[in-house]
Amino acid sequence: MPLKNYHKTIAETPDDIKNYVRDSMHILERLNELLDKKFDGKQKLLAQKMGKSEAEISKMLNGVQNFTLRTLSKLSAAFDEPIIAICTEHEHANFEQVKIAGPDVKLCMHVEHDGEIKEQNYVSSHSLSNQPSEGKKEFA
Amino acid sequence: MRLTLKLSFLIVSFEDIPELSSELVRFYSVKLGSNTVCEFEKFDALDLIDTNHLEERDILYTVLNEMKWRGAKRFFFKPEGPASALPRITALQADKNPYDFGLRLYCVWINENAVVLLNGGIKTKHDPLQCPNVKDHFSRAKKIAQKIDRGLKDNLIIFSKNGVRVDESFDFDI
C-alpha cells in the first residue's frame, strides 16, 4: 500500500513530538491501569473519591495532554500511587524500580527475597517468555 | 400507486495495511465499491501542506506507530458512536480558530489487536454532520462499524492473528 505521507512523517517527525506522544500514551496507560486496579475500572468510583462529578473525571481523563502537575498530583493522591517518575541524580533519590518502556527492550532484574538486586540486564522483549520465572521481576 | 424503491449499496471489502501492522496489532482499511484505492490511502494522501495541521499528522502517525508495540488499547481512541476517531492525543497548542476542530481519522476499533482505519479530514464544525470535510467519512464510519458489529455478533466476521475472514453469506455493504 503506497502510504507516502506515513513513511515520510515517521521518518521526519521531530523528537519532541515523538516524546510528547510517548509520554502522553504512557500516562494514559498508567491512569487506566490504576483505574482498573483501584476502582475496578469505574470512573464513577474515582469521581466519588475525588469529590467530583463523573463528567468532570471523564473530561479530566480525556484531556490527558493538558494535565498540569497539580492535576496529576490530585489523581496520584486519589489513586494513592505514583503516576509519573522524575529522572534525577539527587543523592537521596530512592527508586525501587526502573521501568523502561519501549518497543524492543525490557529491563530484567533478578531480585532476591531480601530485595537485593542480584543482576539486571536489558533484553529484547521478543526473547522473553510471557511468564517471568520465579524470582525474576520483569519491567516493561 | 406504484412505489419505486431505489437501492444503492456499496460493497465493502477489507484491505490489510502491512506497513502499520505488527505481531501485536493488525491494521486494516476498506475498499468501497469499485474503488481501487482504500479509504486509509485516501486519508494518507491528504495534502496538508499550507495548513496548520502538519503537526497533528505527526502526532497521529506517531500514535499509530506506537500502537505497534503497545497494542491498540481502547483508551487511545475517541468514541464516536459505534465508530471511533484518532487522535485522542491532540496537538500541543489549542487552536483558537472556532472553525477548526483539527484533523480526524475515523476508524473502527475491533479489539487491542485489530483496528480498521477509514478516512477523515479537517473538522470545521463541532457536529461532524455539519462539516463538509468529514460528514461523509463520519457517517460512513458509523455504518461500517455497525455492519462489522453485526458480523462479529453473528460470527460471520472473524478477526484473528492470521487476518480477517468474512463469511460468504455475509452481505458486507453499506
Side-chain angles (χ1 to χ4, degrees):
Chain A
M1 192 178 288
L3 301 175
K4 200 181 78 177
N5 281 316
Y6 172 75
H7 293 295
K8 189 172 183 292
T9 303
I10 291 302
E12 295 176 4
T13 295
D15 283 346
D16 68 302
I17 301 277
K18 286 181 184 169
N19 291 342
Y20 164 69
V21 170
R22 284 174 190 152
D23 288 347
S24 301
M25 292 175 93
H26 283 322
I27 293 172
L28 263 178
E29 286 185 310
R30 178 67 174 151
L31 289 173
N32 282 277
E33 182 180 285
L34 289 173
L35 193 64
D36 283 344
K37 185 175 158 186
K38 301 277 179 160
F39 297 103
D40 205 17
K42 295 185 173 98
Q43 291 187 6
K44 187 181 175 181
L45 298 180
L46 174 62
Q48 283 169 3
K49 171 91 178 180
M50 295 182 78
K52 291 184 181 289
S53 71
E54 208 177 335
E56 281 176 295
I57 294 296
S58 173
K59 199 176 168 187
M60 191 187 274
L61 295 181
N62 280 326
V64 66
Q65 68 277 3
N66 293 320
F67 274 171
T68 60
L69 268 178
R70 191 75 189 97
T71 308
L72 281 171
S73 305
K74 283 180 182 172
L75 283 165
S76 183
F79 287 125
D80 194 25
E81 293 248 13
I83 293 167
I84 55 169
I86 306 297
C87 299
T88 175
E89 292 181 4
H90 195 285
E91 61 181 310
H92 297 300
N94 178 22
F95 289 109
E96 291 174 1
Q97 299 175 352
V98 178
K99 295 196 177 190
I100 306 288
D104 300 318
V105 178
K106 289 188 176 189
L107 176 63
C108 279
M109 305 166 100
H110 188 93
V111 186
E112 294 292 290
H113 290 297
D114 61 2
E116 187 188 349
I117 296 168
K118 275 295 197 192
E119 65 174 79
Q120 56 179 338
N121 57 322
Y122 295 95
V123 291
S124 161
S125 55
H126 299 299
S127 66
L128 288 168
S129 64
N130 289 333
Q131 201 63 43
S133 57
E134 201 177 334
K136 201 166 232 184
K137 287 188 178 176
E138 183 186 301
F139 302 114
Chain B
M1 191 170 78
R2 189 172 168 178
L3 181 70
T4 307
L5 186 63
K6 191 181 172 190
L7 298 172
S8 68
F9 292 118
L10 268 177
I11 304 289
V12 183
S13 57
F14 287 111
E15 286 287 315
D16 247 318
I17 314 179
E19 292 96 325
L20 267 62
S21 300
S22 66
E23 278 184 27
L24 191 59
V25 188
R26 283 183 85 132
F27 286 97
Y28 303 88
S29 190
V30 296
K31 275 184 183 167
L32 301 176
S34 57
N35 264 281
T36 54
V37 177
C38 75
E39 291 303 286
F40 183 66
E41 275 181 270
K42 293 179 195 169
F43 177 82
D44 184 71
L46 276 181
D47 184 6
L48 298 179
I49 295 170
D50 299 329
T51 73
N52 56 349
H53 297 278
L54 281 170
E55 188 177 290
E56 284 177 71
R57 184 154 66 191
D58 288 351
I59 290 172
L60 170 57
Y61 281 171
T62 305
V63 168
L64 288 176
N65 208 40
E66 286 283 308
M67 280 197 261
K68 282 181 181 177
W69 67 273
R70 291 176 191 266
K73 309 247 169 77
R74 186 72 185 100
F75 47 78
F76 292 147
F77 296 80
K78 278 163 76 97
E80 293 274 1
S84 297
L86 286 168
R88 167 89 182 265
I89 296 158
T90 53
L92 299 165
Q93 73 281 3
D95 203 317
K96 297 285 190 282
N97 183 348
Y99 301 106
D100 190 339
F101 291 82
L103 189 64
R104 288 287 187 287
L105 169 62
Y106 293 101
C107 43
V108 183
W109 182 84
I110 308 295
N111 56 42
E112 290 196 3
N113 313 109
V115 180
V116 184
L117 301 176
L118 302 169
N119 201 342
I122 296 160
K123 192 178 160 204
T124 57
K125 297 274 192 290
H126 180 66
D127 178 0
L129 292 172
Q130 302 299 318
C131 166
N133 291 344
V134 303
K135 66 177 181 185
D136 290 345
H137 305 310
F138 174 72
S139 309
R140 211 170 274 153
K142 286 206 304 187
K143 285 181 192 166
I144 291 171
Q146 281 163 342
K147 200 80 192 193
I148 291 175
D149 192 46
R150 200 173 311 151
L152 289 170
K153 278 180 184 149
D154 296 341
N155 272 329
L156 296 175
I157 298 180
I158 295 168
F159 288 89
S160 73
K161 269 192 161 184
N162 301 321
V164 56
R165 190 177 63 76
V166 182
D167 194 277
E168 280 175 13
S169 65
F170 185 67
D171 292 324
F172 196 14
D173 51 30
I174 54 169

